[in-house]
Amino acid sequence: MTAPFAPPALPGYEHLYSGKVRDLYAPLDEAGAQRTDRLLLVASDRISAYDHVLDPPIPDKGAVLTQLSLWWFDQLADLAPHHVVSTDVPEAVAGRAVLVERLDMLPVECVARGYLTGGGLAEYRAKGEVSGVPLPAGLVDGSRLEEPVFTPSTKAPMGEHDEPISYDGVVAEIGPALAEQVRDLTVRILLRGNEIAAERGILLADTKVEFGLRGLDLAKGEDAGEAIRSRGASCEVVLADEVLTPDSSRFWPAEEWEPGRPQPSFDKQFVRDWLTSPESGWSKDSGVAPPSLPAEVVQATRARYVEAYERLTGTPFA
Ligand SMILES: Nc1ncnc(-c2cnn(Cc3cccc(F)c3)c2)c1Cl
């Protein structure tokens, strides 16, 4: 992906990969070779909407979401060990990068939904179920589910959309023990997240987490999938990537929740409203890149990220 905003070169690190809004680096050892036990996860200020990376970046978005994720890892430490090693990172990415333990990642996007919307709602409307789980009749956009439903998907190749898979598909991919463990953990993480967030006026409609294995000890050239299926059940499951951020989860302002229509996004509504207003001169089905966001939309969006962080953590964003 030729990112419009090139990720910074970081001395002592090699850039490995860039997603829409995040960049991945490998620390180098004294000989200049990639360390194989660590990664540097960098959150940029880029914001994505309607499958486009928008312009300009949102100042401090990367730092706010990194600090929020670190706070959640700490809140969830009794549920699952995590991959964070250090926040001692290069000055160029201070506050918005994390040094993490390199894990053997499970090839599953672990999604749990506490409220029905988006792709889950579409599947429900078509089939009366989501990811093979039957749901009661009469649910509408934004309906709260009795308990969160695990709706996993495969990790699509770069730039493509993840494909929903059934729970049995997850079992086939990673084995029954790990499948049950990640389903249970994903649901518990969303429940705990909502216990904490609801008190602060935020609903987490759904979330996507990723897990990696500690202790798989892949041999050179060994097939990871095979190793996971055969030895994964005796490894430690570690919560990786980012957790319960507005980029990995749908954040809704609790006081505006009203089932039966699309819910406003806590953080992205100003962007969506402007992009879909006549003022932008853009149409989301046009397939062309959206115009640059006006300064007031950028500032209002920055303020919503800071507000989410301060409400949830109870700490002023520095
Ligand atoms: N602890 C880990 N061990 C091994 N791999 C990963 C890993 C690989 N990819 N991703 C997603 C991603 C995170 C940031 C920036 C990107 F561009 C992509 C996460 C992790 Cl977090």
Side-chain angles (χ1 to χ4, degrees), residues 204-277:
L204 306 173
D206 49 43
T207 197
K208 183 191 77 156
V209 292
E210 294 198 32
F211 297 99
L213 296 183
R214 184 180 285 155
L216 189 65
D217 304 331
L218 271 181
K220 207 153 181 52
E222 185 181 11
D223 178 71
E226 274 307 306
I228 290 169
R229 280 185 289 277
S230 67
R231 308 200 297 275
S234 54
C235 294
E236 194 166 16
V237 172
V238 180
L239 183 55
D241 208 39
E242 63 183 316
V243 61
L244 295 176
T245 71
D247 277 352
S248 71
S249 320
R250 283 187 171 91
F251 275 46
W252 292 345
E255 73 281 0
E256 295 182 51
W257 178 55
E258 188 187 313
R261 57 158 175 76
Q263 309 306 312
S265 162
F266 189 94
D267 52 295
K268 293 186 176 75
Q269 202 54 46
F270 289 120
V271 166
R272 291 182 184 159
D273 288 352
W274 186 79
L275 283 176
T276 54
S277 75

Side-chain angles (χ1 to χ4, degrees), residues 23-34:
D23 308 308
L24 198 64
Y25 297 77
L28 305 177
D29 62 23
E30 313 76 62
Q34 278 190 33

Side-chain angles (χ1 to χ4, degrees), residues 92-126:
V93 292
R96 63 183 184 91
V98 186
L99 189 71
V100 301
E101 176 186 358
R102 194 185 297 223
L103 303 163
D104 290 299
M105 298 303 285
L106 295 178
V108 182
E109 304 284 12
C110 293
V111 177
R113 298 172 187 267
Y115 297 77
L116 197 59
T117 194
L121 174 65
E123 188 182 347
Y124 167 78
R125 282 176 169 158

Side-chain angles (χ1 to χ4, degrees), residues 34-270:
Q34 278 190 33
R35 285 186 62 174
T36 57
D37 62 342
R38 294 286 185 266
L39 287 169
L40 186 75
L41 260 59
V42 178
S44 77
D45 288 346
R46 301 190 297 268
I47 185 168
S48 162
Y50 302 116
D51 265 349
H52 291 275
V53 176
L54 306 182
D55 171 70
I58 306 296
D60 295 322
K61 174 177 179 279
V64 172
L65 268 58
T66 297
Q67 298 310 312
L68 180 58
S69 188
L70 287 167
W71 182 82
W72 280 119
F73 277 124
D74 194 39
Q75 301 300 312
L76 300 165
D78 61 306
L79 291 182
H82 59 70
H83 68 162
V84 175
V85 167
S86 162
T87 53
D88 177 15
V89 299
E91 182 56 35
V93 292
R96 63 183 184 91
V98 186
L99 189 71
V100 301
E101 176 186 358
R102 194 185 297 223
L103 303 163
D104 290 299
M105 298 303 285
L106 295 178
V108 182
E109 304 284 12
C110 293
V111 177
R113 298 172 187 267
Y115 297 77
L116 197 59
T117 194
L121 174 65
E123 188 182 347
Y124 167 78
R125 282 176 169 158
K127 300 162 63 177
E129 62 176 46
V130 280
S131 298
V133 178
L135 293 178
L139 300 181
V140 296
D141 198 345
S143 285
R144 187 174 179 286
L145 301 174
E146 273 300 291
E147 62 175 60
V149 178
F150 184 61
T151 65
S153 52
T154 55
K155 292 186 177 179
M158 188 173 73
E160 290 174 38
H161 283 163
D162 298 335
E163 277 293 306
I165 49 174
S166 67
Y167 179 70
D168 290 343
V170 176
V171 171
E173 194 66 41
I174 63 175
L178 280 176
E180 185 176 353
Q181 202 175 345
V182 300
R183 172 177 64 183
D184 182 55
L185 279 176
T186 306
V187 167
R188 283 177 189 224
I189 285 165
L190 185 61
L191 284 170
R192 171 74 62 76
N194 267 312
E195 273 169 31
I196 295 171
E199 281 174 13
R200 281 100 166 176
I202 291 171
L203 295 183
L204 306 173
D206 49 43
T207 197
K208 183 191 77 156
V209 292
E210 294 198 32
F211 297 99
L213 296 183
R214 184 180 285 155
L216 189 65
D217 304 331
L218 271 181
K220 207 153 181 52
E222 185 181 11
D223 178 71
E226 274 307 306
I228 290 169
R229 280 185 289 277
S230 67
R231 308 200 297 275
S234 54
C235 294
E236 194 166 16
V237 172
V238 180
L239 183 55
D241 208 39
E242 63 183 316
V243 61
L244 295 176
T245 71
D247 277 352
S248 71
S249 320
R250 283 187 171 91
F251 275 46
W252 292 345
E255 73 281 0
E256 295 182 51
W257 178 55
E258 188 187 313
R261 57 158 175 76
Q263 309 306 312
S265 162
F266 189 94
D267 52 295
K268 293 186 176 75
Q269 202 54 46
F270 289 120

